[in-house]
Amino acid sequence: MSLAVLAAAVLGLIAGAYARALAAGFGPEPDDRRGEALPAIAAAARAVPLPRPPYVLEGATALAAALVAWRVHDGWVLAAWLYAVLAGAALAEIDRRTWRLPDAITLPSYPILLILLAPSGRLLPAVASGCALGAVYAVLWFARPTGLGLGDVKLAGLIGLLTGALGVQATIVAGMAGQVLGALYAVGLLLARKATRTTEFPFGPFMLAGALVALAFPDI
């Protein structure tokens, strides 16, 4: 393991602790959706960045950061992906706990990623892929609004931006992997008799996991 990958994993542990603290500031039904971000960010900034049991979020964030450092070599694309690791960890935890993907994180992430990707020379394919994957999820949401939320559509656009900087094939893999992982989870719930065919669950974590699959195996 290279020193850069090891360092990314350590930083990922710290980022995961901050992501957990940030996610704790978002509730299922906030009184002020526009103003909920600032108190959450302030609380996260005051938090001690130490992993907490059961360490799942911190461990997953460390693995994601290490994977990014291993697979991405362009400096600006690397910066975009590392930002996405932190934001994605917070979004995954929020969605798991509250079934929300708050605009306070997803919407500002668009200009941040665009700014980071612009100097890489990969902005045009990234934007095209972001629009394409976002459009696909918009159609899925329109066809079955109870199965997906608008937050999933916005997240899909972000995933398309990131994976599009790696290539169109990576975006296709990310979209398909997210669906497959979600389907496997649903089948597991059915087999364990913990759900029915109409049971819903937060889909954001599976979309984010699909992006990591695309990063690890962009050409499958």
Side-chain angles (χ1 to χ4, degrees):
M1 180 182 294
S2 72
L3 185 60
V5 173
L6 181 60
V10 173
L11 291 175
L13 281 174
I14 298 172
Y18 276 121
R20 182 186 295 280
L22 177 63
F26 290 86
E29 293 296 337
D31 295 329
D32 182 9
R33 289 178 179 252
R34 293 185 177 180
E36 64 179 334
L38 290 180
I41 293 172
R46 294 192 300 267
V48 178
L50 294 175
R52 293 169 48 192
Y55 308 111
V56 174
L57 182 63
E58 291 86 347
T61 308
L63 288 174
L67 176 62
V68 168
W70 175 48
R71 296 292 292 174
V72 182
H73 305 295
D74 180 280
W76 289 104
V77 178
L78 175 63
W81 271 89
L82 288 176
Y83 164 79
V85 167
L86 175 60
L91 286 171
E93 177 64 12
I94 294 169
D95 199 22
R96 180 196 67 80
R97 187 169 50 81
T98 70
W99 292 43
R100 294 178 58 219
L101 291 167
D103 289 348
I105 297 178
T106 56
L107 295 185
S109 293
Y110 276 95
I112 291 172
L113 291 180
L114 290 172
I115 290 171
L116 290 174
L117 290 173
S120 71
R122 302 293 302 166
L123 185 60
L124 184 57
V127 170
S129 296
C131 292
L133 193 59
V136 169
Y137 269 81
V139 171
L140 293 174
W141 169 78
F142 184 78
R144 190 168 177 262
T146 58
L148 286 176
L150 279 175
D152 297 314
V153 177
K154 298 166 191 173
L155 178 59
L158 294 172
I159 291 173
L161 275 174
L162 285 167
T163 54
L166 304 177
V168 175
Q169 181 65 22
T171 303
I172 296 173
V173 172
M176 295 181 63
Q179 295 291 326
V180 170
L181 291 172
L184 289 175
Y185 179 74
V187 170
L189 290 179
L190 287 172
L191 293 177
R193 297 186 177 181
K194 294 183 178 181
T196 67
R197 292 183 179 180
T198 59
T199 298
E200 298 177 4
F201 53 86
F203 197 60
F206 299 99
M207 296 172 65
L208 292 163
L212 293 177
V213 171
L215 179 61
F217 309 103
D219 299 321
I220 60 174

